[in-house]
């Protein structure tokens, strides 16, 4: 379907179904078993093959994601555990590794990358429950879409205080989704904002033959993957994300192999908001994850982060990520 739907097309659809949710919908569910018990999720189905879960209890991040029946997201062995089960930051500062999983984990807002001081690996934000503001199917706009908005607060009265508003939008009958974040410093003093988007791909899109490019330039990737590869098989250095027109573009491609169809995924956004890009790959057996990680701060040689974005009290930082899928 075209991006803008004519009246005649809408009328035809109305005549063919008893409930428009037969075509596309957002449904609210609550998981019931194991470590995932009690986790609330919004299940998006665009009606064109893009299906994903927005985890309300995990910062409105994205858990499962599939494209035309093929799973895309990497899953942690413990699934999408309830945030209440997350270890404290005193767990060697690495509690996030006990729960990192799903298509998107948003890291920050006080720290990203390796721990520094009393700040944990990838900060205090991951897995913070969100307050759901709205969730609906918008059939009335020129481009009908599935939309959800939530608010996440990460605050320490003696340190940084942030409120993040997130809007996730996916066109009905479309093959893409857009994530827009507004982060406001709600503390009394200026504060340093650090944010990194951990976008996690797994098998079958991560396998021998997978290629990755940043702004049309190939990113080195050892192939084939072997059991003795180092954990940082794909280059983990941080580089400029800047491409053309002030934007960055990362393309991941996997050709058809056996029963698995070929898939192409594209991640793009504003290089002004997220001027750095790094990639992380763990090719070990029973791991096999590839992460694309746009960030607003550089990576130091010891794995900690360089300066973030300084926000005055009341100042707002914003960023929009677009993710598109195509194939086979």
């Amino acid at each position: 379907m075209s991006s803008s739907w004519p009246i005649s097309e809408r009328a035809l659809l109305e005549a063919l179904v008893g409930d428009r949710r037969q075509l596309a919908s957002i449904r609210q569910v609550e998981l019931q078993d194991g470590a995932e018990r009690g986790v609330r999720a919004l299940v998006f189905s665009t009606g064109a093959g893009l299906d994903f879960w927005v985890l309300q209890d995990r910062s409105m991040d994205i858990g499962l994601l599939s494209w035309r029946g093929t799973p895309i997201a990497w899953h942690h062995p413990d699934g999408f555990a309830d945030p209440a089960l997350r270890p404290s930051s005193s767990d060697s500062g690495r509690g996030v590794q006990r729960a990192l999983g799903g298509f998107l984990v948003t890291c920050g807002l006080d720290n990203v990358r390796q721990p520094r001081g009393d700040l944990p690996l990838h900060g205090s934000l991951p897995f913070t429950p969100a307050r759901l503001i709205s969730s609906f199917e918008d059939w009335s706009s020129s481009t009908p879409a599935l939309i959800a908005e939530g608010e996440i607060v990460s605050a320490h009265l003696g340190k940084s205080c942030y409120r993040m508003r997130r809007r996730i939008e996916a066109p009905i009958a479309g093959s893409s989704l857009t994530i827009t974040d507004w982060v406001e410093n709600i503390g009394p003093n200026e504060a340093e904002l650090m944010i990194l988007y951990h976008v996690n791909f797994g098998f079958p899109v991560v396998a021998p033959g997978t290629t990755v490019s940043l702004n049309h330039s190939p990113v080195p990737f050892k192939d084939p993957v072997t059991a003795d590869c180092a954990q940082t098989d794909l280059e983990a250095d941080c580089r400029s994300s800047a491409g053309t027109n002030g934007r960055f573009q990362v393309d991941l491609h996997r050709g058809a192999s056996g029963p698995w169809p070929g898939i192409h995924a594209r991640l793009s956004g504003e290089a002004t908001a997220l001027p750095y890009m790094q990639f992380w790959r763990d090719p070990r057996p029973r791991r096999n994850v590839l992460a694309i990680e746009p960030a607003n701060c550089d990576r130091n040689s010891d794995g900690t982060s360089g300066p973030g974005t300084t926000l005055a009290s009341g100042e707002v930082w914003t960023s929009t990520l677009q993710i598109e899928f195509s194939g086979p």
Side-chain angles (χ1 to χ4, degrees):
M1 293 181 180
S2 62
S3 59
S4 182
W5 291 21
I7 297 297
S8 59
E9 192 167 26
R10 295 169 191 267
L12 175 62
L13 290 176
E14 292 281 2
L16 292 175
V17 297
D19 183 348
R20 289 180 297 195
R21 291 178 299 176
Q22 177 180 327
L23 303 174
S25 65
I26 303 178
R27 298 180 187 271
Q28 299 184 34
V29 302
E30 183 174 313
L31 305 184
Q32 295 293 327
D33 201 20
E36 299 176 332
R37 181 179 179 182
V39 173
R40 296 166 298 170
L42 305 172
V43 178
F44 281 62
S45 179
T46 69
L50 179 58
D51 300 280
F52 58 94
W53 289 13
V54 173
L55 303 175
Q56 183 182 338
D57 286 313
R58 294 175 55 140
S59 311
M60 295 287 285
D61 281 333
I62 297 174
L64 291 101
L65 186 145
S66 64
W67 167 244
R68 294 183 175 174
T70 298
I72 303 292
W74 181 79
H75 289 206
H76 189 279
D78 204 23
F80 306 116
D82 187 324
L85 302 177
R86 181 184 63 175
S88 69
S89 59
S90 62
D91 181 25
S92 301
R94 297 179 181 275
V96 72
Q97 290 196 3
R98 298 275 296 275
L100 182 69
F103 184 72
L104 172 66
V105 175
T106 307
C107 304
L109 299 165
D110 47 8
N111 184 54
V112 298
R113 304 186 179 93
Q114 294 301 316
R116 57 189 182 104
D118 61 349
L119 298 173
L121 176 74
H122 282 323
S124 305
L125 178 71
F127 322 127
T128 301
R131 180 173 68 89
L132 186 63
I133 296 172
S134 63
S135 170
F136 61 102
E137 300 100 11
D138 182 4
W139 289 92
S140 62
S141 65
S142 60
T143 302
L146 309 176
I147 299 170
E149 290 194 15
E151 182 178 276
I152 307 100
V153 174
S154 177
H156 188 299
L157 294 184
K159 298 181 182 178
S160 58
C161 296
Y162 298 106
R163 177 170 54 225
M164 183 171 82
R165 183 171 179 135
R166 169 165 287 178
R167 179 183 175 95
I168 298 177
E169 186 169 348
I172 290 173
S175 58
S176 66
L177 64 105
T178 301
I179 302 165
T180 303
D181 288 335
W182 296 267
V183 181
E184 180 183 359
N185 176 4
I186 58 173
N189 305 310
E190 70 175 22
E192 182 183 27
L193 169 70
M194 292 185 174
I195 191 165
L196 179 149
Y197 296 89
H198 220 286
V199 184
N200 304 309
F201 293 84
F203 183 84
V205 294
V206 178
T210 299
T211 60
V212 181
S213 66
L214 171 61
N215 302 325
H216 307 291
S217 296
V219 176
F221 188 15
K222 290 182 180 178
D223 192 8
V225 173
T226 60
D228 60 352
C229 285
Q231 184 169 345
T232 53
D233 168 54
L234 189 63
E235 285 189 0
D237 62 302
C238 200
R239 61 196 76 183
S240 169
S241 71
T244 58
N245 302 320
R247 296 183 61 80
F248 63 80
Q249 177 179 306
V250 179
D251 290 277
L252 183 148
H253 180 77
R254 170 79 166 96
S257 178
W260 308 106
I263 287 181
H264 187 99
R266 173 171 294 169
L267 172 69
S268 60
E270 303 103 338
T272 50
L274 299 166
Y276 300 98
M277 183 71 66
Q278 69 182 53
F279 302 87
W280 174 72
R281 169 85 168 110
D282 186 344
R284 295 175 297 171
R286 304 181 187 275
R287 294 296 177 264
N288 192 41
V289 55
L290 167 61
I292 299 170
E293 304 175 18
N296 77 329
C297 49
D298 202 354
R299 179 180 183 272
N300 296 326
S301 59
D302 63 358
T304 60
S305 292
T309 303
T310 300
L311 295 181
S313 178
E315 188 175 359
V316 177
W317 174 94
T318 186
S319 177
T320 298
L321 290 177
Q322 295 179 316
I323 305 163
E324 306 169 70
F325 300 93
S326 59

